[in-house]
């Protein structure tokens, strides 16, 4: 048969459209893949795409399902609920291809979401939990990491990638630490396979994760989401941001005096420093009173000595704590490590042949983009050479290489409202799950008074989309962070913690209190095991229906005035109230009608807390642990679980 030119063109167009719109071969979402965990005790749904009208056969555990793809190419097959177990196999076939899936388990699937503290991997917490990393070997704990993506225009059908990984030595360091420790605790109790699906993005605010219907309750956020449905706007902003960053870094490099002499930069061992300032102990750079920090490039230098004769044949490890903002580290002129942004711990391997007996020179080039730069104090700064550990915290010299204006701010488009929900959560909501773990809030601390409504809206929207009105939703209350203060009532973080506590009014929710496991100098504290374990305690009650046991620290129940005293009662006291440390109860404050808080004397009596404050004649409010980092707070129950921070009216 011969075709004229116009017919050929039409055929080509049809073929192109078929490739673009059609599916041809049977295709599966990324979650339906080898090693997956399917939710036990719920109807099993297997779905995918193919050509419209295509007949698809799914064989699973002796049952055959033959289904037909709809007009839009979607097919789905349902199997009866099954008990926990595995491994199983599944075969899915159409007219053009067949897919065999292996190593399938039935267990409990938990969606893990939030920002960077949910993302933080076992590799990051390895220094605190080396034994847990070395001993990880449980193929019944599986992990699926959802790639970062956003879409403001429409909900997506599938995630961008990902695969199921077992908790073994090859993969354990990729697991979310919070999620892994949670799964480990649950597995130890019930012995069932656990699937963890992590959809988290560092730095993301809660409005990025709220469903469109609920987002409309927040007009400003919804307006912003609609604005970013314009792809041309996104391209323009991204291009402008790239240009700004490129131009700023080019100017830094051009101005940097440490590179002016191209034959001998400041990290060259032959360079002799002149007019460098002393820094007795590593810290952020000093700022004169009333002055703003100077941004740009700073070079830091330290000499250290090694006595081992064979040190050049030893691999060493260099720890440089945390640096604001980016750094390049050189030993004896050799680059041994570089990090492009502030938050990761600097853990650099020093290859053989870099170190030498006698004098060695460590030089760190730091680029400070905005604010106050330098080294975060009280972090590990050391060099480990064999069995010897060289302390690097003291006796440094530094010199500014380039003065720059602050780097222009970047528009983090992926953080705009709705985008992460559409691209990273919607594709998961066709997958039956046991519950949700949520660790987020740091990015919303600047607007804490909106957070309770946002949390309630997020939970409501997710439950409706999953079709599970009682979907267990467990979340982490923000830990202690930033420099301690003597003020009895200060900071935004306690406001956000209170919003989180108030969210417990929503049925089938649970909160892990972590006010005792944070770090003053790190927004990413390492102790994710305690966080995961406390989420698991909440799961035992909320998701698994356990009646016996203590699953929370003390939660404020009421505050009543009794003469010149105020009596506080608590839920979740377990075997009784106690002190975590010290000889007296601390962290309580009261305020009168004018709102000026004063520290209160506190004592335990008959399972209650008795407060007295001579400075407040008519107290109307009580608060506890009301600071970004409330180091005074020491109320726990005898099971060792800390009391939640709170604020409450006195009756």
């Amino acid at each position: 048969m011969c075709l004229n030119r116009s017919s050929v063109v039409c055929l080509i167009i049809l073929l192109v459209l078929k490739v673009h719109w059609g599916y041809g071969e049977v295709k599966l979402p990324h979650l339906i893949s080898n090693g997956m965990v399917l939710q036990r005790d719920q109807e099993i749904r297997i779905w995918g795409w193919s050509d419209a009208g295509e007949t698809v056969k799914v064989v699973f555990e002796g049952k055959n399902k033959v289904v037909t793809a709809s007009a839009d190419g979607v097919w789905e097959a349902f199997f009866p609920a099954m008990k926990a177990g595995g491994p199983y196999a599944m075969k899915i076939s159409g007219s053009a291809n067949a897919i065999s899936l292996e190593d399938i388990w039935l267990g409990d699937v938990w969606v893990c979401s939030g920002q960077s503290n949910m993302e933080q991997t076992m590799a990051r917490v390895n220094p605190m939990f080396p034994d847990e990393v070395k001993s990880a070997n449980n193929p019944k704990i599986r992990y699926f990491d959802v790639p970062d993506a956003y879409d403001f225009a429409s909900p997506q059908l599938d995630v961008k990638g990902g695969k199921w990984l077992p908790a073994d030595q090859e993969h354990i360091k990729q697991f979310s630490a919070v999620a892994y420790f949670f799964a480990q605790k649950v597995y130890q109790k019930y012995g069932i396979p656990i699937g963890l699906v992590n959809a988290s993005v560092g730095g993301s605010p809660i409005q990025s994760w709220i469903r469109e219907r609920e987002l409309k309750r927040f007009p400003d956020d919804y307006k912003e989401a609609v604005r970013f449905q314009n792809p041309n706007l996104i391209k323009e902003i991204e291009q402008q941001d790239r240009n700004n960053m490129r131009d700023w870094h080019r100017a830094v490099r051009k101005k940097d005096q440490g590179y002016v002499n191209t034959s001998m930069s400041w990290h060259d061992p032959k360079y002799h420093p002149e007019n460098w300032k002393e820094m007795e102990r590593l810290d952020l750079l000093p700022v004169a009173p009333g002055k703003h920090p100077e941004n740009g490039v700073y070079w830091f230098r330290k000499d250290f000595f090694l006595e081992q004769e064979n040190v050049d044949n030893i691999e060493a490890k260099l720890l440089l704590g945390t640096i604001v903002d980016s750094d390049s580290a050189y030993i004896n002129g050799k680059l041994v490590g570089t990090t492009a942004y502030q938050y990761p711990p600097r853990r650099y391997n020093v290859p053989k042949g870099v170190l030498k007996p006698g004098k060695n020179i460590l030089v760190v080039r730091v680029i400070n983009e905005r604010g106050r730069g330098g080294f975060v104090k009280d972090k590990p700064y050391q060099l480990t050479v064999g069995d010897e550990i060289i302390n690097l915290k003291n006796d440094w010299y530094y010199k500014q290489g380039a003065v720059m204006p602050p780097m222009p701010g970047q528009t983090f488009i992926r953080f705009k409202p709705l985008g992460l929900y559409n691209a990273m959560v919607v594709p998961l909501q066709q997958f039956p799950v046991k519950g949700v773990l949520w660790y987020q809030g740091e990015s919303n601390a600047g607007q804490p008074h909106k957070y309770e409504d946002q949390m309630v809206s997020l939970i409501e929207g997710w439950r409706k989309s999953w079709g599970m009105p009682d979907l267990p939703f467990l979340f982490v209350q923000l830990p202690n962070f930033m420099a301690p203060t003597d003020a009895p009532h200060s900071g935004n973080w306690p406001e956000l913690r209170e919003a989180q506590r108030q969210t417990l009014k929503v049925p089938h929710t649970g909160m892990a209190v972590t006010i005792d496991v944070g770090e003053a100098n790190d927004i990413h504290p390492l102790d994710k095991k305690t966080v995961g374990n406390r989420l698991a305690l909440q799961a035992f009650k909320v998701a698994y229906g356990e009646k016996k046991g203590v699953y929370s620290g003390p939660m404020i129940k009421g505050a009543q005035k009794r003469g010149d005293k105020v009596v506080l009662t608590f839920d979740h006291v377990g075997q009784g109230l106690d002190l975590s440390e010290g000889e007296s109860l601390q962290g309580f404050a009261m305020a009168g009608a004018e709102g000026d808080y004063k520290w209160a004397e506190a004592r335990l009596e008959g399972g209650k807390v008795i407060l007295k404050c001579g400075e407040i004649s008519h107290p109307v409010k009580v608060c506890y642990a009301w600071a970004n980092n409330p180091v005074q707070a020491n109320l726990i129950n005898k099971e060792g679980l800390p009391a939640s921070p709170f604020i409450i009216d006195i009756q």
Side-chain angles (χ1 to χ4, degrees):
M1 179 178 67
C2 297
L3 298 175
N4 59 34
R5 181 172 179 179
S6 61
S7 298
V8 171
V9 171
C10 290
L11 179 60
I12 291 173
I13 292 174
L14 288 173
L15 289 173
V16 170
L17 291 177
K18 181 177 178 65
V19 171
H20 184 69
W21 286 338
Y23 295 96
E25 296 183 342
V26 171
K27 180 183 176 184
L28 298 176
H30 287 88
L31 277 171
I32 306 295
S33 54
N34 288 320
M36 67 179 168
V37 179
L38 297 172
Q39 180 57 45
R40 63 175 177 144
D41 301 331
Q42 293 189 33
E43 185 178 50
I44 298 169
R45 177 177 181 265
I46 305 299
W47 77 97
W49 305 275
S50 64
D51 284 341
E54 173 83 6
T55 298
V56 179
K57 182 179 180 181
V58 184
V59 181
F60 182 51
E61 278 305 284
K63 296 181 176 63
N64 298 341
K65 301 291 182 178
V66 179
V67 297
T68 302
S70 64
D72 56 1
V74 179
W75 58 264
E76 54 184 356
F78 294 91
F79 292 86
M82 294 173 59
K83 299 296 183 183
Y88 302 116
M90 180 182 294
K91 187 171 182 179
I92 304 164
S93 56
S95 60
N97 69 315
I99 302 171
S100 295
L101 302 181
E102 307 289 340
D103 197 25
I104 300 169
W105 296 82
L106 268 292
D108 283 343
V109 180
W110 287 87
V111 172
C112 314
S113 190
Q115 53 185 110
S116 52
N117 273 304
M118 183 60 84
E119 280 188 316
Q120 192 166 3
T121 63
M122 291 295 288
R124 285 279 292 271
V125 304
N126 183 47
M128 180 172 281
F129 302 107
D131 293 338
E132 283 83 348
V133 173
K134 291 178 182 177
S135 63
N137 185 27
N138 189 345
K140 294 183 181 180
I141 296 178
R142 299 294 171 97
Y143 182 69
F144 187 101
D145 189 27
V146 177
D148 292 0
Y150 62 84
D151 193 295
F152 305 101
S154 60
Q156 296 299 292
L157 298 177
D158 195 9
V159 297
K160 297 295 185 182
K163 59 183 179 178
W164 290 93
L165 305 176
D168 57 20
Q169 286 299 293
E170 180 181 356
H171 303 107
I172 185 60
K173 289 187 177 180
Q174 301 176 50
F175 276 55
S176 156
V178 167
Y180 173 72
F181 286 124
F182 168 85
Q184 185 183 54
K185 187 82 168 177
V186 174
Y187 182 84
Q188 288 170 353
K189 187 172 181 67
Y190 299 113
I192 57 173
I194 302 293
L196 304 165
V197 181
N198 190 3
S200 303
V201 176
S204 58
I206 191 171
Q207 52 266 37
S208 305
W209 301 99
I210 297 177
R211 193 175 70 151
E212 183 173 11
R213 187 175 303 175
E214 288 71 33
L215 189 68
K216 291 179 179 179
R217 300 172 184 172
F218 310 95
D220 290 343
D221 290 332
Y222 183 66
K223 182 179 179 181
E224 188 79 342
V226 172
R227 176 172 174 252
F228 277 88
Q229 290 177 357
N230 179 356
N232 293 327
L233 173 65
I234 294 175
K235 291 178 182 178
E236 291 172 8
I237 292 174
E238 288 178 336
Q239 185 60 53
Q240 186 60 55
D241 284 350
R242 285 193 293 267
N243 292 343
N244 289 341
M245 293 177 65
R246 179 199 63 209
D247 294 345
W248 194 88
H249 280 285
R250 283 179 177 175
V252 164
R253 177 76 183 203
K254 185 176 181 180
K255 291 183 178 181
D256 190 355
Q257 295 298 306
Y259 287 137
V260 168
N261 185 347
T262 56
S263 63
M264 188 178 297
S265 68
W266 287 359
H267 62 72
D268 193 311
K270 298 177 182 178
Y271 170 74
H272 295 288
E274 296 182 358
N275 301 319
W276 287 48
K277 298 178 181 179
E278 292 187 35
M279 178 174 277
E280 294 183 2
R281 186 176 179 86
L282 285 180
D283 199 344
L284 296 178
L285 287 157
V287 178
K291 299 291 185 180
H292 293 290
E294 284 192 337
N295 306 120
V297 179
Y298 292 85
W299 293 75
F300 296 82
R301 177 185 174 110
K302 177 179 174 59
D303 298 344
F304 62 93
F305 294 82
L306 299 174
E307 297 181 359
Q308 301 101 311
E309 293 183 358
N310 64 336
V311 69
D312 55 335
N313 290 321
I314 299 177
E315 291 184 357
K317 293 189 178 299
L318 176 65
L319 300 183
L320 289 177
T322 308
I323 299 174
V324 183
D325 290 286
S326 61
D327 68 283
S328 299
Y330 302 84
I331 295 181
N332 299 326
K334 302 292 185 181
L335 179 67
V336 296
T338 184
T339 302
Y341 64 108
Q342 172 182 346
Y343 294 108
R346 273 56 170 182
R347 303 170 186 164
Y348 299 145
N349 293 321
V350 181
K352 293 180 181 179
V354 173
L355 299 173
K356 60 184 181 181
K359 179 181 175 182
N360 292 261
I361 302 172
L362 170 60
V363 175
V364 183
R365 180 179 183 257
V366 175
I367 298 178
N368 173 227
E369 298 170 359
R370 58 184 67 85
R372 192 176 173 192
F375 295 80
V376 177
K377 67 178 182 179
D378 298 328
K379 288 288 186 179
Y381 295 95
Q382 61 189 43
L383 180 72
T384 302
V385 186
D387 296 331
E388 184 179 2
I389 297 178
I390 295 98
N391 181 6
L392 300 175
K393 289 185 177 181
N394 304 318
D395 303 323
W396 286 73
Y397 291 86
Y398 73 95
K399 188 172 184 177
Q400 190 166 16
V403 178
M404 289 288 295
M407 178 187 285
Q410 182 179 355
T411 303
F412 293 98
I413 294 172
R414 63 184 180 275
F415 296 163
K416 296 299 180 181
L418 183 63
L420 299 182
Y421 173 81
N422 275 348
M424 297 178 66
V425 179
V426 171
L428 312 181
Q429 291 174 335
Q430 302 180 68
F431 202 72
V433 299
K434 181 69 173 180
V436 175
L437 306 180
W438 176 259
Y439 192 161
Q440 193 277 337
E442 299 91 337
S443 291
N444 291 90
Q447 294 182 309
H449 300 294
K450 294 175 57 177
Y451 197 76
E452 180 185 348
D453 290 340
Q454 291 170 321
M455 275 282 283
V456 171
S457 297
L458 181 139
I459 295 170
E460 179 184 329
W462 286 29
R463 285 176 169 174
K464 287 181 178 178
S465 292
W466 255 288
M468 299 176 66
D470 297 333
L471 178 70
F473 197 99
L474 313 177
F475 53 92
V476 180
Q477 190 183 48
L478 290 186
N480 48 310
F481 176 55
M482 291 180 272
T485 175
D486 292 331
H489 186 277
S490 64
N492 283 334
W493 279 45
E495 300 277 358
L496 194 127
R497 293 187 195 110
E498 178 66 8
Q500 293 174 315
R501 188 182 72 86
Q502 292 294 337
T503 304
L504 291 172
K505 296 175 183 176
V506 178
H508 307 289
T509 59
M511 182 176 75
V513 178
T514 62
I515 199 64
D516 57 339
V517 296
E519 298 177 25
N521 60 1
D522 202 331
I523 201 170
H524 302 122
L526 291 181
D527 187 4
K528 294 297 189 283
K529 184 173 184 178
T530 298
V531 179
N533 287 349
R534 289 179 185 169
L535 282 170
L537 290 178
Q538 292 293 323
F540 296 157
K541 177 185 178 184
V542 177
Y544 295 99
E546 299 285 350
K547 302 299 183 183
K548 297 180 180 179
V550 177
Y551 307 110
S552 172
M555 291 283 177
I556 188 65
K557 183 178 181 181
Q560 287 80 36
K561 196 171 189 308
R562 297 288 186 267
D564 62 345
K565 300 178 179 63
V566 174
V567 179
L568 304 181
T569 54
F570 292 84
D571 289 324
H572 305 290
V573 298
Q575 298 182 32
L577 299 177
D578 206 348
L579 280 65
S580 60
E581 61 183 5
E583 298 180 356
S584 62
L585 200 54
Q586 303 290 326
F588 293 87
M590 293 194 292
E594 68 282 358
D596 187 16
Y597 281 83
K598 302 292 183 182
W599 289 116
E601 298 177 13
R603 59 184 173 87
L604 298 177
E605 183 180 296
K608 301 175 181 179
V609 172
I610 312 300
L611 301 181
K612 186 176 182 180
C613 181
E615 297 184 66
I616 305 294
S617 57
H618 299 288
V620 298
K621 284 185 178 292
V622 175
C623 68
Y624 170 72
W626 204 264
N628 294 327
N629 188 359
V631 293
Q632 303 92 345
N634 61 349
L635 178 63
I636 61 173
N637 55 27
K638 289 188 180 296
E639 286 75 12
L641 296 171
S644 169
F646 65 84
I647 193 166
I648 190 171
D649 293 333
I650 299 171
Q651 302 301 317

